[in-house]
Amino acid sequence: MKEISLETHSRVEMIDITAAVQKATGEKKIESGICLVYTPHTTAAITINENADPDVPRDILAVLDRAVPLSANYRHAEGNSAAHVKSSLVGASKLVIIENGRLVLGTWQSIFFCEFDGPRSRKVLISIIAS
Ligand code: ZN
């Protein structure tokens, strides 16, 4: 297992972690397999989407903010229920195929760490299984 540490700087934010995940994958020196990208936090998530146009992650965050408002008579006393709900909607992990030692991603795809309750210190765990 490899660990990526990151600092987030906003309440909500999507950070492209593709290069760090590729580096962790390359260090395993396997030809083909599966890479699990997982975040062990209840108010964050992992997703894959376009990073060529920075408006795409902005739009995703804006839609999530509209769909899951910051306050909506939530019961959770910590006051960050919106972040918990977004974490479950987007999901804590993604699997990516590895071929020829590289992550198999589409031309426009990047792997994003999604912050929903920042700023905080966060980590992403990478586990690689050879096939
Ligand atoms: Zn909470």
Side-chain angles (χ1 to χ4, degrees):
M1 185 176 79
K2 304 247 178 202
E3 185 175 319
I4 298 167
S5 297
L6 58 159
E7 300 293 323
T8 63
H9 299 97
S10 306
R11 182 180 60 82
V12 295
E13 185 177 359
M14 286 171 66
I15 299 170
D16 187 341
I17 57 168
T18 310
V21 177
Q22 180 58 62
K23 184 168 176 281
T25 301
E27 287 166 1
K28 286 289 269 190
K29 305 205 182 306
I30 62 156
E31 192 64 12
S32 64
I34 294 284
C35 175
L36 171 67
V37 186
Y38 170 76
T39 190
H41 303 289
T42 60
T43 55
I46 303 292
T47 195
I48 295 174
N49 215 302
E50 177 176 332
N51 198 24
D53 180 358
D55 281 338
V56 172
R58 277 190 211 119
D59 284 346
I60 291 169
L61 292 172
V63 167
L64 286 169
D65 268 341
R66 279 200 297 275
V68 188
L70 265 181
S71 56
N73 292 322
Y74 301 117
R75 296 175 60 108
H76 177 52
E78 194 189 3
N80 61 352
S81 276
H84 288 295
V85 171
K86 288 177 187 173
S87 172
S88 276
L89 287 175
V90 177
S93 67
K94 281 282 179 261
L95 288 172
V96 183
I97 297 168
I98 302 164
E99 206 53 69
N100 301 317
R102 306 276 312 165
L103 298 168
V104 179
L105 291 167
T107 305
W108 308 110
Q109 284 183 315
S110 285
I111 305 167
F112 288 93
F113 175 85
C114 305
E115 174 62 79
F116 297 131
D117 195 29
R120 290 180 188 243
S121 296
R122 299 293 204 175
K123 59 185 172 186
V124 175
L125 305 177
I126 311 287
S127 183
I128 290 159
I129 302 154
S131 63

